[in-house]
Amino acid sequence: MGFLLAPTAAAEGFRLEAHDSVGSTNAIALERAREGDPGRLWVVSKKQESGRGRRGRAWATPEGNLAATLLLITDRDLKTAATLGFVAGLALGDALDAVVPGRIMAATGDAGGAHGNRFELKWPNDVLADGAKMAGILLESSMLAADRFALAIGIGVNVVAYPEDVPYPVTSLRALGSSCDAETLFLALSDAWSVNMRLWNQGRGLENIRRRWLSRAAGLGGQVAVRVEGEVIRGVFETIDEDCRFVIRDDSGATHKIAAGDVHFGAVASAGAI
C-alpha cells in the first residue's frame, strides 16, 4: 500500500504529501510554509538523500526507511513549540508499540528497560530499542509574516536498514525481526501524533507529556555524561524538569539543568570515554 493518514488524523485536518524519494522532508515542509501552506501537513518518503540530524549531522534514509516531517504554523513562543519534540518521541514510541508485536522484542532478549518499555526515549530526541538507536527527531523553524513561524518536526526511523559507520549502537525494525514497513509505521504514527498532541494541548498539558516521557526515559536513575559546549558533566540522570531540561546530580550533590547536549549512558559515562 502507499502512505495513508490515519482516519483520526484526517478528521483533525491533517494532510499528507507523499514522495518516493526526497532530498529532505524538513526542507520540503519549510518550503511549503514559505509558499503559504497553513500547516498540519505531513511530508513523507521512504528514501531521503540529504537528511539532517542534530548539529548538522547527516541522517541516512535508504530505500524502505521512513522519513516523515510534520509542518505546523504557529504564533506560540519557540520555547513552548520546542517541547513538541517530546510529543514526537512519545507518538513514535506509541506507534512502534502498536506495530511491533511484543514477542519480536522478547526474542531479542530485550528486558524493556527500567520501566518495561520495549522502546525507550533518549533525551532529547532519539528512540532506542534494546539500547540501540533506531530513530531520531529534528525540529527546525523558520519565521513567517505577522509574527508567526513554521515548525518542521522531522522524524527518521530505521525500518529496513541502519548505518554501519557510526560510533554508537544502532538497529532497525528488520534487525529486530519485524516485517513492518514504512507505510504501516507512518499510519500508526499519524494516529499516535494526534492523540499526544491533544494531550499537549497547546503547551497547557506539558506536565502530562513530561510524566509520560519519563515513563519511557532511557537511563533514568543511572550514570550519565553530557557533553555541553566542550565540557563534560557527569552524574546521575534524575529527571527532566518542567521545561524538559535534562537534570543531572553530580557527585558533589550539585544539580545541573541542561537545555542542549549529547548524552552518554552506562559504562561509557562511568569510564570517561567521551
Side-chain angles (χ1 to χ4, degrees):
M1 70 173 184
F3 284 109
L4 297 170
L5 280 173
T8 49
E12 293 180 0
F14 289 92
R15 295 168 295 118
L16 177 64
E17 179 180 326
H19 298 264
D20 292 329
S21 179
V22 297
S24 162
T25 55
N26 269 25
I28 290 175
L30 292 174
E31 181 181 350
R32 296 292 178 265
R34 289 189 290 270
E35 293 169 348
D37 192 280
R40 293 202 164 206
L41 174 69
W42 281 103
V43 180
V44 298
S45 179
K46 292 193 293 184
K47 184 177 182 181
Q48 184 172 241
E49 301 285 355
S50 53
R52 301 182 301 280
R54 289 176 65 239
R55 302 174 188 242
R57 296 164 182 154
W59 177 268
T61 309
E63 180 72 35
N65 281 1
L66 175 64
T69 295
L70 176 60
L71 171 66
L72 298 174
I73 308 297
T74 180
D75 55 6
R76 294 202 165 267
D77 64 276
L78 277 173
K79 180 180 175 182
T80 299
T83 62
L84 283 166
F86 295 87
V87 175
L90 284 171
L92 181 54
D94 290 347
L96 288 164
D97 283 346
V99 300
V100 179
R103 60 181 175 81
I104 289 179
M105 290 298 290
T108 71
D110 175 48
H115 305 285
N117 292 304
R118 290 174 291 163
F119 299 100
E120 293 185 295
L121 304 179
K122 180 185 176 185
W123 186 91
N125 65 344
D126 291 343
V127 178
L128 309 181
D130 198 16
K133 180 172 178 174
M134 196 174 66
I137 296 163
L138 175 68
L139 273 64
E140 295 183 291
S141 63
S142 177
M143 290 303 302
L144 303 173
D147 294 326
R148 295 170 67 80
F149 65 88
L151 184 69
I153 304 167
I155 301 171
V157 187
N158 298 332
V159 177
V160 301
Y162 58 83
E164 298 181 357
D165 56 349
V166 292
Y168 48 81
V170 289
T171 191
S172 67
L173 285 175
R174 179 171 291 179
L176 296 174
S178 172
S179 60
C180 177
D181 59 21
E183 292 91 343
T184 301
L185 178 57
F186 174 72
L187 185 69
L189 173 61
S190 65
D191 178 57
W193 174 271
S194 294
V195 172
N196 282 281
M197 190 171 179
R198 286 196 300 271
L199 184 64
W200 181 76
N201 190 22
Q202 302 298 319
R204 291 185 289 270
L206 182 56
E207 179 56 27
N208 293 326
I209 293 296
R210 174 183 169 274
R211 285 197 298 266
R212 282 209 68 216
W213 193 95
L214 283 168
S215 75
R216 282 189 178 271
L220 187 64
Q223 289 291 321
V224 295
V226 184
R227 182 178 293 277
V228 183
E229 296 180 351
E231 178 187 3
V232 176
I233 301 172
R234 303 181 190 279
V236 173
F237 173 21
E238 286 206 330
T239 188
I240 60 172
D241 69 7
E242 63 278 3
D243 294 319
C244 295
R245 292 176 297 184
F246 194 81
V247 180
I248 295 179
R249 186 172 298 277
D250 67 23
D251 291 342
S252 72
T255 297
H256 304 263
K257 297 182 177 182
I258 299 167
D262 291 324
V263 176
H264 300 266
F265 296 136
V268 173
S270 300
I274 64 171

